[in-house]
Amino acid sequence: MSDLLYAEEEEALRAAVRDLLTDHCDAPGVIARTESDTPHHRALWKALTDGMGLAGLLVPEELDGQGATHREAAVVLEELGRAVAPVPYLTSAVVATEALLACGADDLLRELATGTRIGALAVALHVAPGAAHRTVRHEDGLLHGELTGIADAAVADVLLVPADDGGLYAVDAAAATVTPQTSLDLTRPVATVTLDGATGERLGDAGPAVRRALRAGAGLLASEQLGLAEWTLTETVRYLKERKQFNRPVGGFQALKHRLAQLWLEVVNLRAAARNAADALTTGEDVDVTVAVAQAYAASVAVHAAEEALQLHGGIGMTWEHPVHLYLKRAKADAIAYGTAGAHREALARLVDLQAP
């Protein structure tokens, strides 16, 4: 059994990423971006990729990556979750990258690892690992069809598109029509991708590549949900210590202490589940089970933490200017990303042979 505690290197990485986000990703800035036509923070993405090389954590060093593991990527995602950072890290540096690793697409991997290009797997954000997903038609060497709910497609340079012939194709985003869809979570917008006779380079078999990509996405999403839950809990405790009612801090009331204690326990358990999933992805042991456990648990904790933050901040929590709504929307969107908790519980039941009566 691996040590799930954070190593010194992981804590150093966390500190560096948090410093960068503190400087470049403040809540008013994120809110302003969600109100604009360009919700993605390209300057922050450049700092994360060019400056720190974080897009290549999962890519081997010989392909210009960092040759690190899912544990390091999980730490980055915790911090990005804490800041609700509008960057395509999970979609490009994890999901698209894992699909390319499964196909051995070295040239594209180099480009994604260095941040030269941003990739997006053209599978709807809600699809669970191993679940059915839509494909496009491959006819006379060209791709035709429409795919909906593709996260971060608007900022992608290359789309990894599964086709009905079983292949996964790399399509230049300029050859596709990307139409924004109405998204609850404005910091990770989804879009419809339409291909009307686009050319694509066949990378490999879509089946195993998509399964591997979605499994890594689901497993590391738990770390993003952990970061989100930790921030909302910390901010709520801080606010309740400062906010006074009847001339005493609101946090001193027994009923609120109980709610916060319960939430703290949930967050601690989520950390264990998220770390276990990241470690399993690193070692390759019991991956399906640990990912399913993490995702069966993570959504409810993240949503609960954000809901408690919204309620316990009182009137100010209901305002657009306070960032808690960003966290609640991200938590709700994450609750269906890469499979719902229910889908993961069903998968877990099958994996451990625990069938419903």
Side-chain angles (χ1 to χ4, degrees):
M1 182 70 189
S2 303
D3 187 349
L4 298 185
L5 297 174
Y6 298 99
E8 265 183 57
E9 297 83 3
E10 291 166 354
E11 290 294 6
L13 175 62
R14 176 194 306 289
V17 176
R18 189 173 296 189
D19 284 349
L20 180 70
L21 292 170
T22 303
D23 292 342
H24 294 283
C25 193
D26 62 327
V30 176
I31 293 170
R33 282 179 190 286
T34 65
E35 296 173 313
S36 72
D37 293 333
T38 52
H40 291 98
H41 196 330
R42 285 183 177 271
L44 174 60
W45 178 247
K46 193 170 174 55
L48 289 166
T49 54
D50 283 6
M52 299 179 73
L54 297 182
L57 282 182
L58 299 179
V59 178
E61 290 180 42
E62 60 267 24
L63 298 177
D64 299 337
Q66 302 296 323
T69 72
H70 295 85
R71 289 176 61 125
E72 286 82 10
V75 169
V76 173
L77 278 162
E78 281 181 38
E79 292 306 310
L80 294 176
R82 281 181 64 90
V84 210
V87 291
Y89 190 84
L90 184 64
T91 45
S92 183
V94 175
V95 176
T97 296
E98 287 276 353
L100 293 175
L101 285 166
C103 295
D106 291 0
D107 292 344
L108 255 180
L109 274 168
R110 279 195 177 88
E111 293 180 328
L112 259 62
T114 53
T116 315
R117 297 172 90 186
I118 295 170
L121 180 67
V123 173
L125 183 60
H126 71 271
V127 175
H133 57 84
R134 291 175 69 176
T135 57
V136 297
R137 197 170 80 256
H138 183 261
E139 196 174 284
D140 300 329
L142 299 176
L143 301 168
H144 306 261
E146 182 178 276
L147 300 165
T148 56
I150 311 303
D152 293 334
V155 77
D157 302 299
V158 60
L159 299 163
L160 308 181
V161 182
D164 59 2
D165 67 344
L168 186 69
Y169 289 83
V171 177
D172 195 310
T177 305
V178 178
T179 313
Q181 291 177 255
T182 304
S183 305
L184 173 66
D185 174 14
L186 299 171
T187 61
R188 183 177 283 144
V190 293
T192 297
V193 171
T194 308
L195 301 176
D196 190 9
T199 55
E201 177 196 352
R202 186 181 172 118
L203 303 170
D205 292 341
V210 169
R211 199 159 42 246
R212 173 174 170 172
L214 296 184
R215 188 173 72 171
L220 293 185
L221 177 67
S223 291
E224 175 181 293
Q225 290 164 306
L226 169 62
L228 189 155
E230 283 191 316
W231 184 91
T232 48
L233 175 60
T234 304
E235 280 301 298
T236 305
V237 170
R238 188 180 63 75
Y239 177 76
L240 293 181
K241 282 179 177 175
E242 294 171 0
R243 176 91 167 90
K244 286 193 167 59
Q245 216 170 38
F246 309 116
N247 213 25
R248 58 181 281 200
V250 175
F253 294 114
Q254 190 77 359
L256 299 192
K257 282 183 178 177
H258 281 225
R259 284 168 71 170
L260 293 172
Q262 174 61 36
L263 192 54
W264 181 82
L265 279 173
E266 291 178 19
V267 172
V268 169
N269 288 335
L270 172 54
R271 184 183 297 114
R275 290 296 291 164
N276 199 26
D279 188 67
L281 284 163
T282 299
T283 62
E285 293 174 18
D286 288 334
V287 185
D288 292 332
V289 170
T290 49
V291 168
V293 167
Q295 276 307 316
Y297 187 68
S300 62
V301 177
V303 171
H304 184 214
E307 286 176 345
E308 288 287 70
L310 184 74
Q311 285 186 19
L312 296 177
H313 273 81
I316 193 172
M318 298 290 179
T319 63
W320 184 259
E321 289 73 23
H322 195 281
V324 72
H325 67 92
L326 295 174
Y327 290 84
L328 181 56
K329 290 168 185 169
R330 172 66 70 88
K332 292 294 258 185
D334 281 356
I336 59 169
Y338 306 115
T340 62
H344 285 282
R345 278 194 286 270
E346 281 183 30
L348 184 60
R350 285 195 301 274
L351 287 165
V352 299
D353 199 24
L354 187 67
Q355 299 300 332

